[in-house]
Amino acid sequence: MSAWDKYQLYVYVAVVALLSWWLVQLTMHEDTVDVMVAQDSPDFFSNGYYKKQMDLDGLPKNELQAAKMTHSRERGDTHLEKPVMTLYSPEQAPWVIVADNAVLARNGDDLQLLGDNLISREAFKRNAALTLKSRDLNVKLSTHFAKTDAWAEIVSPPNKTSGTGMEATFVSPIRLKFFSKVKGRYEIK
């Protein structure tokens, strides 16, 4: 009996073991790549998204509509295309916020309006109509506070104020603050 005949079985078992180990390593690498892609992908989305939130008394608190909504599993934020947000306050006309795109943070309170945006309120009782045009606005939904470093314009006919950088609070009493290059046109009756 030759040495090959004696150890042939052991050589075959060793080769099969090496091939098995190599295949396990290959499939583990492919699984890792798939998991990395899955973690960064959205966990849910909606076309024609609509959400209405009520306060403790059952009255509307806010309303959100968007052409498309995508929620990120990893970051927990929500991306919105063509969003329209309506904020309700007692004894006031609702504020309507329209933007090109928006990102709602994981906490559900911080809303970044990306691109051109428009915030408006119709006239109601003693409050005049008000329109705010800007870009890249950060809104704190719980306090109705908005801030931008970009150009902004506020129109309450026949008055108009514009400037670079702005902070605004949209609950009574309404507070507006511009940071630089402020221009205004006011008509007094």
Side-chain angles (χ1 to χ4, degrees), residues 149-188:
D149 293 326
W151 172 87
E153 176 184 62
I154 296 174
V155 178
S156 181
N159 306 318
K160 183 188 290 189
T161 306
S162 64
T164 303
M166 181 224 41
E167 287 180 352
T169 304
F170 299 107
V171 289
S172 287
I174 295 172
R175 293 185 184 96
L176 305 170
K177 177 180 176 183
F178 286 95
F179 298 129
S180 65
K181 300 178 185 172
V182 180
K183 296 178 184 177
R185 188 189 83 213
Y186 303 96
E187 292 183 23
I188 300 172

Side-chain angles (χ1 to χ4, degrees), residues 130-149:
L130 188 79
T131 303
L132 184 146
K133 296 177 188 175
S134 184
R135 291 189 54 79
D136 304 331
L137 195 66
N138 295 316
V139 179
K140 188 84 162 170
L141 297 174
S142 61
T143 58
H144 295 205
F145 175 80
K147 181 178 180 180
T148 183
D149 293 326

Side-chain angles (χ1 to χ4, degrees), residues 3 41 57 64 70 78 87 89 105 148 155 158 168 173:
S41 63
D57 297 325
L64 176 61
T70 307
T78 304
L87 303 173
S89 293
T148 183
V155 178

Side-chain angles (χ1 to χ4, degrees), residues 1 11 23-25 31 54 57 61-62 67 78 80 89 106 110 116 126 134 141 147 152-153 167 173 177-178:
M1 184 181 240
V11 170
L23 285 171
V24 166
Q25 295 300 319
D31 289 345
M54 309 301 261
D57 297 325
K61 183 177 178 182
N62 61 51
T78 304
L80 304 162
S89 293
R106 177 186 296 246
D110 297 318
D116 292 333
R126 294 184 179 192
S134 184
L141 297 174
K147 181 178 180 180
E153 176 184 62
E167 287 180 352
K177 177 180 176 183
F178 286 95

Side-chain angles (χ1 to χ4, degrees), residues 63-117:
E63 210 172 298
L64 176 61
Q65 298 175 358
K68 184 174 182 181
M69 180 277 301
T70 307
H71 184 267
S72 169
R73 174 191 337 237
E74 188 70 22
R75 294 180 305 274
D77 56 10
T78 304
H79 295 261
L80 304 162
E81 292 179 17
K82 305 290 183 203
V84 177
M85 181 100 188
T86 306
L87 303 173
Y88 295 97
S89 293
E91 299 299 319
Q92 288 188 3
W95 291 95
V96 179
I97 302 169
V98 180
D100 291 337
N101 292 291
V103 178
L104 184 62
R106 177 186 296 246
N107 63 15
D109 194 33
D110 297 318
L111 180 67
Q112 287 183 300
L113 303 174
L114 308 171
D116 292 333
N117 51 68

Side-chain angles (χ1 to χ4, degrees), residues 11-27:
V11 170
Y12 287 136
V13 169
V15 167
V16 168
L18 284 172
L19 281 171
S20 298
W21 174 82
W22 178 73
L23 285 171
V24 166
Q25 295 300 319
L26 184 64
T27 58

